[in-house]
Amino acid sequence: MSKLVASVREAIERTGLKDGMTISFHHHMRNGDYVLNMVLAEAAAMGIKDLTVNASSIFDIHEPLIEHIRNKVVTGIECNYMGGRVGKAISEGILEKPVIFRTHGGRAGDMENGSSKIDIAFLAAPCADPMGNCSGKYGPSACGSLGYAFSDAMHAAKTVVITDNLVPYPLKDTSIDEGYVDYVVQVPQIGDPAKIVSGTTKITRDPVGLRIASLAAQVVKHSGYLKEGFSFQTGAGGASLAVAKYVEEMMKKDGIKGSFCMGGITGYMVDMADKGFFETILDVQCFDLKAIESIRENPKHQEISAMRYASPAAKSAAVDSLDVVILGATQVDVDFNVNVHTDSNGYIMGGSGGHSDTAAGSKLAIIVAPLIRARLPLIVDQVLCKSTPGETVDVVVTQRGIAVNPRQKELKEKLVKAGLPVLEIQELKQIAEEISGVPRSVEMGDKVVAKVLYRDGTLLDEIKNVKTV
Amino acid sequence: MSKLVASVREAIERTGLKDGMTISFHHHMRNGDYVLNMVLAEAAAMGIKDLTVNASSIFDIHEPLIEHIRNKVVTGIECNYMGGRVGKAISEGILEKPVIFRTHGGRAGDMENGSSKIDIAFLAAPCADPMGNCSGKYGPSACGSLGYAFSDAMHAAKTVVITDNLVPYPLKDTSIDEGYVDYVVQVPQIGDPAKIVSGTTKITRDPVGLRIASLAAQVVKHSGYLKEGFSFQTGAGGASLAVAKYVEEMMKKDGIKGSFCMGGITGYMVDMADKGFFETILDVQCFDLKAIESIRENPKHQEISAMRYASPAAKSAAVDSLDVVILGATQVDVDFNVNVHTDSNGYIMGGSGGHSDTAAGSKLAIIVAPLIRARLPLIVDQVLCKSTPGETVDVVVTQRGIAVNPRQKELKEKLVKAGLPVLEIQELKQIAEEISGVPRSVEMGDKVVAKVLYRDGTLLDEIKNVKTV
């Protein structure tokens, strides 16, 4: 018995893929992913129409999706993040049905509770054996954690593993096991290794970014959460890493040992754990080569599924035990609602990912962002898209000052007492507008191009089309 | 947020345990398990009645079950194995409803497919954090693999982790994760370490056992399966280990490298893997201290769940890729059906465990047993209980000769050609009867005391009560 089939086409045929079905993909291959395009090209060649694509994230490399939408091969898209290229087409109204945006935790949760059904999951696997045991840790296209793919494998009616690194049975260090896999296909390449990871992620040198990071680190310090057992999540961007650097310095100075760091993991967080600042790393996705090497070699570095990371359908998730998270924003409004789905002109170029999951779960959610970007103020009366509800956001840190959510009175007092530049969010808005002027309000069209579901599956917001002239 | 509750009683109260519910337990603590007794004592003290206990195995230490049955605290039992003490009481008809026997794979499969519902799972965990992440690898009561507990945690409506080794969040090397756990209780001791494992498992020195083992190893050799990539499962008994020893010698001589060994794992199998005879170990249960140390330290040694081991509800299980399994028997009949549930007098003192799972999955299932035991012949016209169907059994090896299932014509020819003492199974039966006499036929009572379900959930056999005088 073997589950090996000769080609992607044969796998598609064997699964019984039909018009109208929902197929799923994970995004650990990031902007180097070949698998989504490969499967859709084959489905298109087979004349299959009306597919819904549920991908944990859609990157610019998935631009061929646009053609598949035009040809009605794809008529539905569900994802947690969408890069600017496909996002622009969606914002211009190319897809009849609205895109369904979820969060990383919500996507897994909706599969668990049955509200998001997957007919066929296609898993890009950097290594696999002929029975479907697979892992992201080994092989020429190694991506490290396969965190987001677990729910797909576990809940899809059929699961196809696509690998460029077939190894003898049984794979030694299995992430997703054969019990969930129907077919295995070997292909020449599942991705472009150069684009799977960013290679190295570097701390910003931009003085504005460093100023913001330094202030954010001060907020962490004076919040009272920076103590023995501290847990922390930050992103891969230069400013987020700078926060980590400043936090590390404070931990070192005060002899603090943290419990865990989490999230998309970078080499920077690996180094912090290696130096003993964190007991363990919970990794749902690797952002760079160092993280991939670490998850392969380092027993302190654990792969976690999206369920364990952030699912609201789980009895608890790691985000529920998170102390502090550092998050970005394209817009924040005076009610602390955050937009990470669209740019200031309303074009889709992002998504929640784990943004609202970690904001909801953590004890302290800090938004870091420059007060003005591309001559537009960060803070607005109302965000163009509510990605993360204001009630889960605690602090907004800009280079010109810090705004604390009025719900966090005690925290505000602590930060004021520490001498940090605490302002009302309206004041920050005013400062920005004094510099860049009050921006013209963006007028969106009438067509709903995307629905943003909160992590519990309820409708949080709708995104309208951008009026093109 | 923490899931810690103060006592087993508080955990029971919080789960809402009520009369008529089904509660589950796993057996990795083996004959040193305190948890099943602890929970039932508390439930009894709370006045709860009419519980069904679904335990992966029941050992002699669980003798207090008998009193709970008398008091109607427990009115149903489901398990994959039952030791002689409770078995005797069941065989004498103490329980009104028949015991439901499953296989290790079937139990997990029936939970997966929903035909076996668990209201509350109680997990004995040698280490756990306050959110319920747990493992069997660390702590004073370390038992190694938690393989059989995964399905309970994943499918029970509520799951309680009971530990004597609470560690800070997050546990570093998690087997069963917090997403499946509702409550965590810390108790002084979850088991008696001396009885959790057998300490060391030793190869038999009995000449009859060695003769059987040597013949069985010859069968393996001449079957053609002993080649590069060979996979192997054997038990913890002295004769099974002797087979391993002879197989190892042959592998060494011929320079054969196997792929995996599996099952309940002993130090002997660990040594074979360490010496390079197997690439990896798939471990659903550790039988001794060396296996526990190995699963903790050795990256070649993987913990697998019962689903991955043997579930017929999984898309494939490891047993489906197994070449050879060595199994025991209390009786074998002329149709090759095997009894491992009762002794020759019809008393329950065992169960399938993974017997029929591996027999069904493997390419070659070899039964090893002495031709006569306690003056009774191994081979009978009809087994008192059909534990494993004859069509999945390939060879029966005794010290006086080897019987090959008539369905395996080619194999029989190979063994005859190799000069092995191949006889018809009726001939073996006759030899035994010539020595020990024809045994009186055992007359069972009219009451069905147990139903034996095959791994796919269908009824394989019924066990009747023993007539007591």
Side-chain angles (χ1 to χ4, degrees), chain A residues 311-333:
Chain A
S311 169
K315 285 167 179 179
S316 70
V319 293
D320 301 323
S321 294
L322 184 62
D323 288 331
V324 176
V325 64
I326 308 295
L327 295 165
T330 58
Q331 298 183 307
V332 182
D333 69 24

Side-chain angles (χ1 to χ4, degrees), chain A residues 3 131 133 154 157 169-172 177-182 259-260 279-280 302 308 315-318 321, chain B residues 3 131 133 154 157 169-172 174 177-182 259-260 279-280 302 308 315-318 321:
Chain A
K3 298 173 181 174
M131 296 302 278
N133 294 294
M154 290 173 75
Y169 184 94
L171 176 63
K172 266 177 231 154
D177 86 56
E178 60 181 295
Y180 301 113
V181 178
D182 295 274
S259 56
F260 68 95
E279 281 291 315
T280 182
Q302 296 188 58
R308 182 155 177 223
K315 285 167 179 179
S316 70
S321 294
Chain B
K3 297 173 182 174
M131 297 301 279
N133 295 294
M154 289 174 74
Y169 185 92
L171 175 61
K172 267 175 230 155
T174 290
D177 85 57
E178 59 181 294
Y180 301 112
V181 179
D182 294 276
S259 55
F260 68 96
E279 282 290 316
T280 183
Q302 297 187 60
R308 181 154 179 224
K315 286 167 179 178
S316 70
S321 293

Side-chain angles (χ1 to χ4, degrees), chain B residues 102-103 105-107 109-110 113 115 310-313 356-357 360 389 452-460:
Chain B
R102 290 190 179 84
T103 72
R107 179 177 187 269
D110 282 356
N113 68 29
S115 62
S311 170
S356 58
D357 293 313
V452 177
L453 304 188
Y454 193 49
R455 57 198 304 257
D456 61 4
T458 56
L459 183 68
L460 191 59

